[in-house]
Amino acid sequence: MAKSKDKTMDKLVSLAKRRGFIFQSSEIYGGINSCYDYGPLGVEMKKNIKELWWKSMVYERDDVEGLDASILMHPKVWEASGHVEGFTDPMVDCKQCKSRFREDQIDTSKPCPVCGNRDTFTEARNFNLMFKTFMGPLEESANVVFLRPETAQGIFVNFHNVREAARKRLPFGIAQIGKAFRNEITPGNYIFRTREFEQMEMQYFVRPDEDEKWFEYWKQKRMDWYRRLGLNPEKLRYHEHGKNELAHYAKAAFDIEYEFPFGWNEIEGIHNRTDFDLGRHKEFSGKDMQFFDDQAKERFLPYIIETSVGCDRTLLTCLIDAYTEEEERVVMKFAPAVAPVKAAVFPLVKRDGMPELAKKIINDLRGNFRVFYDEAGSVGRRYRRMDEAGTPFCFTVDTESLENGTVTVRDRDSMEQQRIAIDEIKSFLNEKIS
Ligand code: GAP
């Protein structure tokens, strides 16, 4: 990893803590590895990302319905999905210092990277990445349940419930946002790979002979979404899975990748899952998971095109993409729709009726927008704080405001100011944010 790139992550992590985007979980106890909490700005930003995804995947269409399935599911789900058997990483242990590594991430013919001893590795053993817990008061094997490692299975098992309740015909999709858990062996790169994270997944059910057409469609559609988030298009690319990379269920798969300071990495996976999932649930549950096409008088298992993205990973991507160092300031250049705070209102000075007018303006905006009032310190310092929070617009009440009902609005990116009427602030923000 290049040194200058390392520094970008360090500076971003420090800004994210200072401004209240992301904190280490349980920090007063020394933290817990790879778990993070979202602070006042982070939680707003995460909510914005989820809303933008939901808007694009559900509200702007008539062929996708929403779902919120439970995290704990019948243990047989994970047998059918292949996770009990196959969701494993091969691990080796150093017999000397007891460190554990993923076999594919170290060279076992060399010394242990922790203690430096040679020939101390055990044979590789498979380690399942699902978190286990017990349902009910008895901690025995019959009561083992898993924290879901993906939200997708909640969608597959509800295929008929949603189809019937929403009276859907093929093609149609089911969208879901929710937590997933993986006991990752090597979590890291801040919130890029964690053990608890949130996924935004959509499963699109199609006729088997239309899978390739819909796969192409969703591949394109999802890339467009990242552009709408305002991400630098030069840092986005597709990565097609080669035959040996494909998951056991997939006929074809593309990742959407972003160029992070630590290299190109996946942010989203788009998979043609064929009829694997419904077929397996049919086999394990004994229920008929087929779709009956009453026009063609055919009964068949639909194919599934999946789009799956981590919400936390999208947030990290937006933070990194927005982080800009200029000569005199650090500024987070978020798209207005992603920005945690949409506008700040300042009185130029704390007298002459300016705070009263500024508070009246902000109270008018509350309820429609997340806004922030600040009267502490020089206006220049207040602008800098808002630059680090990524607030796209700052409205300042000055002497002229009291005379003619206008304020200055300062654009975060160009730092240019113009005057607008107080009455127009709401429509100005509405237009800029949408
Ligand atoms: N249902 C398919 C599925 O879960 P995946 O490629 O394992 O596919 C999809 O995960 C997305 O979920 C990834 O592209 C990533 O954005 C996010 N993700 C997966 N594991 C993660 C982790 N440990 N921490 C944060 N995000 C993760």
Side-chain angles (χ1 to χ4, degrees), residues 150 182 184 192 194 197 199 201 266-267 306 308 310:
E150 61 173 10
R182 295 181 189 178
E184 300 279 5
F192 179 82
T194 50
F197 55 100
Q199 285 188 315
E201 296 199 296
E266 168 186 346
I267 41 179
E306 167 182 78
S308 174

Side-chain angles (χ1 to χ4, degrees), residues 87-241:
F87 195 49
T88 55
D89 275 341
M91 306 298 303
V92 293
D93 294 326
C94 169
K95 285 184 245 170
Q96 203 64 37
C97 70
K98 312 289 180 221
S99 299
R100 179 166 277 190
F101 308 93
R102 248 171 70 179
E103 190 195 23
D104 58 343
Q105 289 184 344
I106 57 159
D107 182 349
T108 47
S109 66
K110 292 208 169 116
C112 166
V114 174
C115 67
N117 282 298
R118 273 186 103 93
D119 301 324
T120 55
F121 294 113
T122 60
E123 288 295 305
R125 278 175 300 200
N126 277 337
F127 175 83
N128 196 293
L129 302 189
M130 282 196 293
F131 277 99
K132 266 186 205 162
T133 187
F134 299 94
M135 195 165 239
L138 295 178
E139 293 196 2
E140 54 192 37
S141 58
N143 297 334
V144 165
V145 287
F146 300 100
L147 301 188
R148 65 181 176 197
E150 61 173 10
T151 63
Q153 299 300 325
I155 295 182
F156 304 141
V157 299
N158 276 295
F159 166 62
H160 280 313
N161 284 339
V162 175
R163 184 187 59 73
E164 282 165 18
R167 297 190 295 125
K168 287 288 178 215
R169 307 182 52 78
L170 298 188
F172 80 95
I174 303 178
Q176 167 162 238
I177 300 178
K179 289 260 178 168
F181 302 83
R182 295 181 189 178
N183 201 0
E184 300 279 5
I185 311 304
T186 43
N189 284 326
Y190 198 29
I191 57 167
F192 179 82
R193 180 170 290 107
T194 50
R195 296 191 170 116
E196 172 180 344
F197 55 100
E198 219 163 346
Q199 285 188 315
M200 309 189 285
E201 296 199 296
M202 195 280 309
Q203 312 292 331
Y204 201 71
F205 301 88
V206 302
R207 291 182 58 90
D209 55 358
E210 293 186 347
D211 63 332
E212 286 172 18
K213 175 179 97 182
W214 285 110
F215 184 71
E216 267 317 301
Y217 169 87
W218 281 109
K219 209 180 110 192
Q220 197 56 52
K221 184 89 187 154
R222 292 303 305 147
M223 183 61 100
D224 291 347
W225 188 71
Y226 292 100
R227 303 221 167 102
R228 274 172 70 182
L229 284 189
L231 299 182
N232 179 354
E234 284 172 17
K235 293 193 169 240
L236 289 165
R237 73 175 187 196
Y238 291 112
H239 163 75
E240 181 175 10
H241 284 216

Side-chain angles (χ1 to χ4, degrees), residues 35-51:
C35 294
Y36 293 91
D37 299 340
Y38 290 89
L41 295 186
V43 72
E44 289 298 330
M45 198 174 153
K46 205 171 180 202
K47 184 178 71 60
N48 293 342
I49 289 169
K50 288 192 261 186
E51 277 178 11

